[in-house]
Amino acid sequence: MSMIERIRNHRDANRRARAIEHALRSANSPAVREELLVIAQRHMS
């Protein structure tokens, strides 16, 4: 894996993490939060 690919992957991971955190903060119901966490875990594995 090249250095550029590694940086790109890292940046994408950060962007996804920020998007998930933002969605969790703006989710008003616990059910929505749980669904977001399930989706997040699916992306991380």
Side-chain angles (χ1 to χ4, degrees):
M1 180 186 294
S2 74
M3 189 68 165
I4 291 171
E5 284 176 8
R6 214 173 306 151
I7 291 169
R8 198 171 290 146
N9 288 345
H10 185 69
R11 197 173 41 206
D12 287 347
N14 279 345
R15 195 173 295 139
R16 264 195 304 274
R18 272 201 310 274
I20 290 165
E21 284 174 16
H22 178 74
L24 283 171
R25 270 198 298 274
S26 58
N28 5 15
S29 75
V32 173
R33 263 191 213 107
E34 244 170 75
E35 193 64 33
L36 286 167
L37 289 173
V38 168
I39 293 167
Q41 285 171 345
R42 220 176 286 148
H43 275 284
M44 298 302 174
S45 58

